[in-house]
Each structure stands twice: as structure tokens, then as C-alpha cells.
Amino acid sequence: MRQESSVTGSGGEYRETTETELLVRRSVGKSIPARSHPNSILFALILVAFFPLCSRSLCAQDGNIALTPPMGWNSWNHFNNRIDDETVRAQADAMVSSGMRDAGYIYIDIDDTWEGQRDSAGYIHPNSKFPDMKALADYVHSKGLKLGIYSSPGAKTCAGFEGSLGHETQDAETYAKWGIDYLKYDLCGLRNEMKEAPTPDAAQKIMIDSYVKMRDALRGTGRPIFYSLCQYGEDAVWRWGADVGGNLWRTTGDISDSYARMAEIGFGQAGLARFAAHGHWNDPDMLEVGNGGMNMEEYRTHMSLWAILAAPLLAGNDLTTMTPETTALLTNREVIAVDQDKLGEQGDRVSTEGPIEIWVRSLSDNSKAVGVFNRLEVPLSATVNFRELGFQGTVSVRDIWNARNLGPMRNSYTVTVPPHGVVFLRVR
Ligand code: GLA
């Protein structure tokens, strides 16, 4: 049984749980604690000997790439179709100079509109905006970062560019040859094929088969490539995303840079926590922090909620022009520590009182991250009852965004939460 050593990348340092324990926890639910009694380890060994669990992502060549949710940057939210080689290089440079790389942001993901034509042998080439994808990957890697790319299981992508239908193996080979580390695979164009299916079940099978096909093609390359499913949460993808090799699956339609849409998506994630685990995560979509459509309180809500949700932290702004306030939001070490916590337990909503919602995430040091959110446009007081959160006696409370210890407390804490804002606590 292998004890994994430390892993850097999107997650920073990681490793306490043995691979066998992880696999057993995933197969029997989460009832086996991370540090097991020797008898449970024996039990784990017996289980693994009898059940072929290695068909899923954790045993595959993608081994360590998704032990914590991915962190990086994606071109779509800010640049849309105005993305090219020069812009990607500039974002990579800014990822380093802003301190984001050192805070854990590793992936530079090119979204839709990079695709050109296929040659006579069927191999895809980038369009004129990306003269040399291999050289770009080399550049990004030279900065200590990883490069991601985008495609669709359909004939066309959402923006109408060349998709992978019928060329899955060739495309995976091409990505590996270029040095790609991450693929976002976006359903869009496959809907035409799905519409032709005689029944909804048959349509779903077409979709699932297409994700399996690309999973196998990626694995066939031998290169660890993070596999991000994007099909907007249809057919309860959280129930089958891990089985088709997804390291990540979008649970919703597209985010936009407004409080209303971010809140609709973020607070709409209640109940999905049990489907996330080491190796595969729910994805409520990329960040809008720094794009200008929300105020700082609202962006703090966005970051805090995504951290509690163990969501990917994929910045979606222009890293070359961001303000010091935006950099500070994106690189807050205590918030990132919650998102990347090695226990890998996604948090969930524990109470609502009209517009006040309390969300809690259990962390590996036995503390809990507690988000007290106010969805109203005026300040509101809220009370956190520590006993209701499972704490006994005196607790120590830290205000994460204000980086301030609030001291020992008993029973409860009453605080005023700003409009559309959050009070983000770490309680132990
Ligand atoms: C879909 C996805 C977006 C983005 C665009 C690109 O809308 O959900 O995240 O990738 O396609 O066309």
C-alpha cells in the first residue's frame, strides 16, 4: 500500500491518507476516518483485493492531479473570443508576478475559440491566433504553470469552432504532444446528435459514451491530463461524473459577473456535498472576481462560498490589470486554505433564516469554516450558535477576511453581516 508523498500543484502540500483508504472511503461512503485503526486498514486491504476499484480516476494515470480542487485561470469570462497566444503568455507572466502562482494558482486554461482546421489526416491545428501551441505550452511550463485547453464532444464547440466528434483519439494525442495538462470538454455541439436519439435515455447514453470516449483517449496518451466535464449539470452529472473519469463537473449553466447570478449558482449548490471527494469535484463555474460587475463585499461572498464548496478557483479576470484589492481577494491564504483543505469534504448549508444563510465546511484540523451570508441589500444581524454546529464548551473563533482572532467564545456569536456580504469564520 503506497503512502503518497507531498504533492504540489493546484493543491499545495498534501498527503496523509493512504491510497487504499481513499478508495475504500469512496466505495463505502465516508465512514472510514482519514487516520484509520490498523484493523480498518486490514479491512481496507481485503476490500480492495476483492473489488476492482481501479477503473476510476484515482488509480489511473491521472493519479494525483485532482487531490484538491484545481486552481488557475481561464480565458472565457473576461476575454471570451478575444484570446490569443500573446494574451495567454501575458496572463502566465501576471500569474507569477502577482503572487498568484505561489498562492497555488497553477493552470492557465485556454477556453473556446483557439481551434483551427483539421489536416487531411484528421489532426486538429490551432487557428491563426495560436501560431505554435507546443511553444506556448513550453513557455507556460517554464513559468512553473500548466496549460489547459478546451473542446467539445460534438462536431462544433459552443462558439461554433471545430469539436472532437469522431477525432477523440487524435485530439487527445495532439494535446499530449503539445504538452497540455487540462481539458475542459463542453457538451454544446453534441446536442445535435442527442436530439436524433429516439428516447431521453438514448440521448443520455450518447452523452455519457462521449465523455467515456474522451476519458479513454486521454488515458491512452499516458500523460496526466486533468479532465473537466462541462454539460451544465444535466442529468445530475454529480451522480455519474466520477464514473466517466471526470476530475470536475460543472453543476450549473454559465456564471456571469453579477451578484444575482453568482448567488443563484453558489447558494443553489446545497445538497451536492456528498458527491465531491479527492479526485473529483463539483464545479459551480469559474470566478468573476475582478471583472467589475460586483462590489468587494459581493466578491468576498463569491470567494468564501466557493471555498466552502470546495469549488475550483479558476480566476476569470484580466490578471495583467487587476487592482491590489482584487489580487488580495484572490490570494488570501486563509480562504485558499479552506478551499484546498486536505480533508476534501465539501461544505453545505446548515441553516437559513430568510436571507441569512449559514454554510459550514469541516476541515482537517477539526476546525470548521463557517460562512454567515446575508443575501439582502441592507445590513442584517445574524447569530451563529456553536452548539448547533457540533461544538461543545468554549471555542476559539477567527475572522478570516479580517485576519483577526475574535477570542474564546461560548454558546453563540452575533454579528452584523454587510449587504450581499459574508462574515467568514474559522471555528475550533
Ligand atoms: C459554454 C461554457 C462556457 C464557455 C463557453 C465557450 O457556454 O459553459 O464556460 O466554455 O461555452 O463557448
Side-chain angles (χ1 to χ4, degrees):
M1 184 167 55
R2 182 161 60 98
Q3 181 84 35
E4 295 184 16
S5 53
S6 69
V7 175
T8 51
S10 68
E13 296 295 311
Y14 177 77
R15 218 46 227 162
E16 277 186 3
T17 311
T18 62
E19 194 173 71
T20 307
E21 286 170 322
L22 273 181
L23 290 166
V24 172
R25 261 190 285 156
R26 291 186 53 215
S27 68
V28 299
K30 293 187 177 178
S31 53
I32 297 179
R35 291 180 184 281
S36 300
H37 185 274
N39 282 346
S40 4
I41 294 178
L42 186 62
F43 171 68
L45 279 170
I46 293 168
L47 258 185
V48 168
F50 282 97
F51 295 99
L53 296 167
C54 281
S55 61
R56 292 187 180 180
S57 57
L58 276 171
C59 285
Q61 41 82 17
D62 50 6
N64 289 336
I65 57 180
L67 286 172
T68 59
M71 291 176 64
W73 170 90
N74 174 291
S75 59
W76 187 255
N77 283 356
H78 184 86
F79 290 95
N80 204 270
N81 62 355
R82 302 174 309 278
I83 188 67
D84 56 18
D85 179 284
E86 197 186 332
T87 307
V88 171
R89 285 171 193 251
Q91 299 302 313
D93 292 348
M95 188 83 107
V96 178
S97 62
S98 65
M100 282 179 68
R101 180 194 63 187
D102 293 343
Y105 292 83
I106 293 299
Y107 291 103
I108 294 281
D109 292 341
I110 304 167
D111 209 279
D112 206 352
T113 81
W114 65 267
E115 308 87 342
Q117 302 302 315
R118 293 189 183 278
D119 60 25
S120 54
Y123 285 94
I124 186 98
H125 293 268
N127 58 40
S128 58
K129 299 191 296 172
F130 290 90
D132 186 341
M133 205 56 101
K134 167 95 175 67
L136 179 56
D138 289 347
Y139 183 80
V140 168
H141 291 155
S142 76
K143 302 269 162 185
L145 300 168
K146 297 183 175 197
L147 189 64
I149 212 162
Y150 167 101
S151 189
S152 172
K156 294 288 175 206
T157 67
C158 293
F161 287 71
E162 187 70 18
S164 292
L165 185 64
H167 296 277
E168 295 82 0
T169 307
Q170 281 179 313
D171 285 1
E173 279 170 15
T174 302
Y175 304 151
K177 203 176 75 199
W178 287 341
I180 296 295
D181 307 292
Y182 185 116
L183 174 68
K184 173 173 168 182
Y185 208 41
D186 189 356
L187 186 70
C188 255
L190 195 70
R191 286 194 197 285
N192 293 333
E193 277 65 29
M194 291 168 67
K195 266 191 239 139
E196 305 289 311
T199 62
D201 280 356
Q204 191 201 34
K205 185 170 183 318
I206 291 174
M207 174 176 64
I208 290 182
D209 287 351
S210 77
Y211 279 103
V212 168
K213 206 174 218 175
M214 185 51 95
R215 173 199 70 189
D216 293 344
L218 293 174
R219 286 186 181 170
T221 68
R223 182 177 176 83
I225 297 179
F226 189 104
Y227 191 28
S228 161
L229 315 187
C230 178
Q231 46 75 274
Y232 337 112
E234 289 173 19
D235 288 307
V237 61
W238 44 87
R239 296 186 192 152
W240 51 268
D243 292 326
V244 301
N247 300 120
L248 193 66
W249 48 78
R250 273 272 294 278
T251 54
T252 76
D254 289 13
I255 197 167
S256 63
D257 189 18
S258 74
Y259 176 80
R261 182 63 180 149
M262 180 278 293
E264 179 188 11
I265 289 179
F267 295 114
Q269 302 298 298
L272 297 187
R274 68 196 161 94
F275 300 99
H278 298 287
H280 54 90
W281 309 95
N282 290 304
D283 175 9
D285 209 356
M286 302 164 298
L287 298 171
E288 291 283 6
V289 175
N291 279 332
M294 291 181 240
N295 64 36
M296 280 295 157
E297 284 307 340
E298 294 168 336
Y299 283 139
R300 258 193 283 278
T301 292
H302 190 7
M303 284 295 288
S304 312
L305 192 47
W306 263 234
I308 288 177
L309 293 171
L313 296 180
L314 296 173
N317 58 320
D318 181 353
L319 305 182
T320 66
T321 57
M322 62 185 166
T323 62
E325 290 77 23
T326 295
T327 310
L329 279 187
L330 288 169
T331 57
N332 184 296
R333 294 296 206 275
E334 295 186 46
V335 175
I336 290 173
V338 172
D339 183 77
Q340 297 287 302
D341 185 79
K342 64 189 174 189
L343 191 61
E345 297 262 352
Q346 179 175 329
D348 215 331
R349 184 164 59 202
V350 296
S351 73
T352 53
E353 183 206 331
I356 294 289
E357 299 199 9
I358 300 185
W359 289 65
V360 175
R361 177 172 177 184
S362 298
L363 303 172
S364 52
D365 63 353
N366 289 324
S367 68
K368 293 183 189 211
V370 179
V372 188
F373 297 94
N374 172 12
R375 298 182 66 174
L376 266 196
E377 278 171 343
V378 292
L380 259 191
S381 72
T383 297
V384 181
N385 184 318
F386 298 118
R387 198 173 282 266
E388 281 172 12
L389 300 187
F391 291 99
Q392 308 285 337
T394 306
V395 291
S396 81
V397 180
R398 181 165 172 84
D399 180 327
I400 292 181
W401 284 113
N402 289 315
R404 207 155 50 92
N405 292 325
L406 303 178
M409 291 187 192
R410 286 186 78 83
N411 304 323
S412 65
Y413 174 51
T414 298
V415 62
T416 299
V417 190
H420 287 178
V422 60
V423 171
F424 197 20
L425 306 172
R426 190 156 178 156
V427 182
R428 100 182 63 218

